[in-house]
């Protein structure tokens, strides 16, 4: 089955992802030095039997973050290897991603041949053994679909009145975890087919420390307020209860233990580095709540519109903005360290 | 210098290229069997040292023609080689091409990994020796830019009151030919860098038999009527004379002799086959003048809008449609055989 697509907002308007992705930029910045280090130490370009280094960014969205990420990686490779090789970068995301915007905003002074690959990373995207390096940031925590069991009224995991697992029952959280496992199995086996022996994969994604309960995830705090706004809208008659009951955000934050187990179960990759980082530590610019809500809109408007229609979007985000003070207070109180996983794998 | 982009109309609306490219389809159909034949006879997949066959369509536009073309090529390769290799197809066109439409209309049952490469083929697009097969149909007759000398009032090649060389002086035709030469030099040297030894390139493009004068080119008949409509519009005050004087269609139909000389001057390719074909022989569907004008609009609306603004487009094509009877008569009388070149090259 084709994975569901939940594209970020395209174009470069007020609510576009291109203009509202500073949080994802912070995620990248927080690992920039780690990427340089790990490429210098663990990625031996010279032993790869190819004059061209082919690298992919999976879940690239529309930029500019993907350009910054690929430039970081490329700089690290050139610095540490003094290479005269040529680079081909494959920007990959769902078919419905706004590739036109991506292409028109490509850095004019790039030192690589730019290409785009449309499709879901929950499946094959590239020929066998054709990639030397894979990067994915702020993407792998998206599930390929909402676990079906959340939608069945008679299921113990029916997620009535909620839009995520962070404020829900253990059964709901388990259904999310099971879907994530299935997705990662397909992700790792696809990448194992595509990456050459000695090739490297760097995954940066939402995560949860092993010892922290998922109800403490700061993203969950934010999702809970969107949920509350939706429930207010049911009361006001703008959306139906059934619509809210059948909506769930397909996002999952795995623990280091879970990821380790999934990598080992696949068996084709060696873990070179695995650590939790704190993306907010290097957040560049003021993270006011209004900015955060713009960011949420850029990310979630697509999936919300698909389910509820576009007419509810303004009201939903206005209502959520009205809760700014509460959101701010609860975010301050929530667990905020180590909510990002930095995982470096090498193809055996 | 970046080559100028003249994209076909995007999307899939009434005036879109996707809905108005039957003529280009006919160009493809007219050479389908020849492609099969030449791949079977001259393209030895097994001797290429790669598990993946990487092929590119240069000037792909938005489909569906490019999908049909790539499927023809792929079928020919599989039929003649019983190969288990994987295929990666690079769809390439200017950055401003509508790649979003291309991606959403990709054939779901395709047997290849689809990728897109934005940029002008008048320059490098791919890493060194990374391609095994290059195809280009109905694209290479586009010049990278209008020869500058056509725009200088004191030049002998000033193309006052005309929009093409087919109805102009020899000096104007020579300026077009010189620009085409320059463009082909860059095209061939770029492709020579990108294609592996033994790799093949099939070029299908507008052409003129060696012995025919360019004033007899049927495309010239059509361009002449657009020119006439523009001049009528100068009289009616809808466009200025200066605007018409400074507009020229950057399209050139080379002769087999010219192309042979340019290939030999580059020196990296062997000519495996070169012949003139007649695209209209297999034209599928009625080629009424209204249909032809829709086709012209899909192809030229972009470049005309860039120069004259969008407000003149409807009037221009209405006026041209009013000349249908004359166009039809003159087209019947014009030379119509061998106006397409089928050129097969092999990288030495």
């Amino acid at each position: 089955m084709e994975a569901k697509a939940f594209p970020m907002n395209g174009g470069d308007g007020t609510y576009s992802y291109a203009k509202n992705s500073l949080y994802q930029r912070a995620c990248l910045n927080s690992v920039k030095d780690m990427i340089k280090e790990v490429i210098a130490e663990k990625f031996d370009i010279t032993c790869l039997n190819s004059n061209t280094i082919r690298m992919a960014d999976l879940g690239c969205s529309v930029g500019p973050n993907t350009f910054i990420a690929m430039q970081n990686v490329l700089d690290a490779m050139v610095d540490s290897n003094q290479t005269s090789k040529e680079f081909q970068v494959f920007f990959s995301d769902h078919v419905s991603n706004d590739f036109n915007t991506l292409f028109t905003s490509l850095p004019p002074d790039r030192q690589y041949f730019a290409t785009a690959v449309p499709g879901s990373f929950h499946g094959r995207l590239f020929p066998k053994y054709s990639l030397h390096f894979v990067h994915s940031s702020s993407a792998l925590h998206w599930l390929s679909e909402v676990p079906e069991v959340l939608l069945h009224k008679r299921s113990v995991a029916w997620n009535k009145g909620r839009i995520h697992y962070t404020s829900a029952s253990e059964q709901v959280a388990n259904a999310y975890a099971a879907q994530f496992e299935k997705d990662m199995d397909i992700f790792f086996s696809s990448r194992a087919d595509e990456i050459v022996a000695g090739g490297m994969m760097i995954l940066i994604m939402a995560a949860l420390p092993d010892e922290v309960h998922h109800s403490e995830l700061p993203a969950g705090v934010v999702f809970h307020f969107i949920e509350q706004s939706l429930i207010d809208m049911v009361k006001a008659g703008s959306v139906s209860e059934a619509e809210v009951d059948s909506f769930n955000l397909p996002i999952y934050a795995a623990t280091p233990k879970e990821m380790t187990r999934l990598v080992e179960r696949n068996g084709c990759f060696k873990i070179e580095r695995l650590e939790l980082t704190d993306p907010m530590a290097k957040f560049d610019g003021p993270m006011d709540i209004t900015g955060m809500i713009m960011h949420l809109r850029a990310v979630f408007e697509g999936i919300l519109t698909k389910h509820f229609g576009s007419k509810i979007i303004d009201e939903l985000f206005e209502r959520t903005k009205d809760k700014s003070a509460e959101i701010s207070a609860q975010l301050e109180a929530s667990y905020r360290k180590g909510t990002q996983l930095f995982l470096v794998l090498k193809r055996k």
Side-chain angles (χ1 to χ4, degrees), chain A:
Chain A
M1 207 196 69
E2 180 76 13
K4 301 280 196 317
F6 315 113
M8 307 298 100
N9 277 350
D12 57 1
T14 311
Y15 300 116
S16 66
Y17 182 80
K19 290 248 170 84
N20 293 283
S21 46
L22 277 181
Y23 175 78
Q24 291 83 348
R25 179 90 50 89
C27 295
L28 277 176
N29 284 337
S30 71
V31 294
K32 188 176 167 176
D33 294 338
M34 291 161 77
I35 287 179
K36 277 197 177 301
E37 215 176 275
V38 82
I39 287 176
E41 284 171 19
K42 306 281 189 181
F43 187 67
D44 186 2
I45 265 188
T46 52
C47 86
L48 297 170
N49 181 26
S50 174
N51 290 318
T52 302
I53 302 298
R54 284 187 288 271
M55 42 200 250
D57 190 26
L58 305 185
C60 63
S61 191
V62 292
N65 289 347
T66 187
F67 307 131
I68 297 168
M70 291 297 95
Q71 193 60 48
N72 287 352
V73 169
L74 198 151
D75 287 346
M77 289 186 188
V78 173
D79 284 354
S80 63
N81 289 281
Q82 303 289 321
T83 180
S84 64
K85 297 190 187 228
E86 292 187 330
F87 294 87
Q88 190 171 32
V89 175
F90 296 84
F91 297 98
S92 183
D93 211 316
H94 284 290
V95 168
S96 48
N97 184 50
D98 186 357
F99 285 98
N100 288 350
T101 295
L102 178 85
F103 282 165
T104 51
S105 56
L106 277 165
D109 57 345
R110 63 191 181 275
Q111 304 130 284
Y112 51 83
F113 295 100
T115 53
V117 175
S120 162
F121 54 55
H122 297 295
R124 285 281 302 278
L125 292 166
F126 299 90
K128 267 190 189 144
Y129 313 131
S130 66
L131 292 177
H132 304 99
F133 189 91
V134 168
H135 175 273
S136 179
S137 181
S138 302
L140 220 58
H141 45 254
W142 284 89
L143 300 177
S144 68
E145 57 178 338
V146 169
E148 235 195 287
V149 73
L150 302 186
L151 308 175
H152 295 167
K153 285 192 183 170
R154 301 185 170 209
S155 146
V156 288
W158 185 34
N159 206 21
K160 182 174 171 47
R162 304 194 188 280
I163 65 167
H164 199 234
Y165 68 96
T166 34
S167 59
S169 68
E170 287 303 314
Q171 284 94 338
V172 170
N174 292 343
Y176 269 83
Q179 182 65 49
F180 182 74
E181 275 202 24
K182 222 193 290 180
D183 287 349
M184 283 304 97
D185 282 347
I186 295 172
F187 178 84
F188 285 127
S189 68
S190 300
R191 301 299 83 77
D193 281 347
E194 295 164 353
I195 300 175
V196 299
M200 181 175 273
M201 177 149 71
I202 297 187
L203 306 176
I204 301 148
M205 56 200 288
L208 190 69
D210 290 318
E211 67 284 3
V212 176
H213 190 260
H214 58 73
S215 59
E216 294 180 67
L217 195 71
V221 171
V222 181
F223 297 159
H224 182 63
F225 280 97
I226 296 179
E227 191 175 280
Q228 287 306 311
S229 299
L230 282 169
I231 288 168
D232 294 346
M233 287 167 78
V234 171
K235 287 176 195 151
S238 331
V239 291
S240 76
E241 197 174 358
E243 278 179 297
V244 176
D245 290 348
S246 58
F247 180 76
N248 293 282
L249 284 174
I251 285 187
Y252 184 75
T255 63
K257 238 185 220 163
E258 267 178 300
M259 282 304 282
T260 303
R261 190 169 58 78
L262 292 170
V263 172
E264 287 171 355
R265 183 158 85 184
N266 169 269
C268 297
F269 295 93
K270 179 174 172 247
I271 296 178
E272 294 284 3
R273 193 154 164 180
L274 176 152
E275 61 187 273
L276 290 171
T277 63
D278 181 11
M280 297 312 289
K282 290 208 182 174
F283 186 70
D284 196 16
M287 182 63 167
D288 61 296
I289 298 296
T290 309
M292 196 196 65
I293 289 170
M294 289 289 270
H295 155 255
L296 287 172
R297 182 169 177 157
V299 172
F300 295 123
E301 182 164 344
I303 189 170
L304 286 162
T305 299
K306 213 169 173 177
H307 187 83
F308 295 101
S310 58
K311 62 187 187 311
I312 74 135
I313 301 298
D314 283 337
E315 185 184 344
L316 175 60
F317 286 99
E318 278 309 315
R319 282 180 181 271
T320 308
K321 221 187 283 173
D322 292 344
K323 301 179 171 64
S324 292
E326 289 169 83
I327 296 176
S328 188
Q330 286 210 26
L331 270 182
E332 288 296 328
S334 77
Y335 186 88
R336 294 183 67 176
K337 286 248 169 343
T339 56
Q340 178 175 266
L341 187 70
F342 180 74
L343 178 58
V344 181
L345 303 175
K346 198 167 200 173
R347 180 74 172 95
K348 291 178 188 170

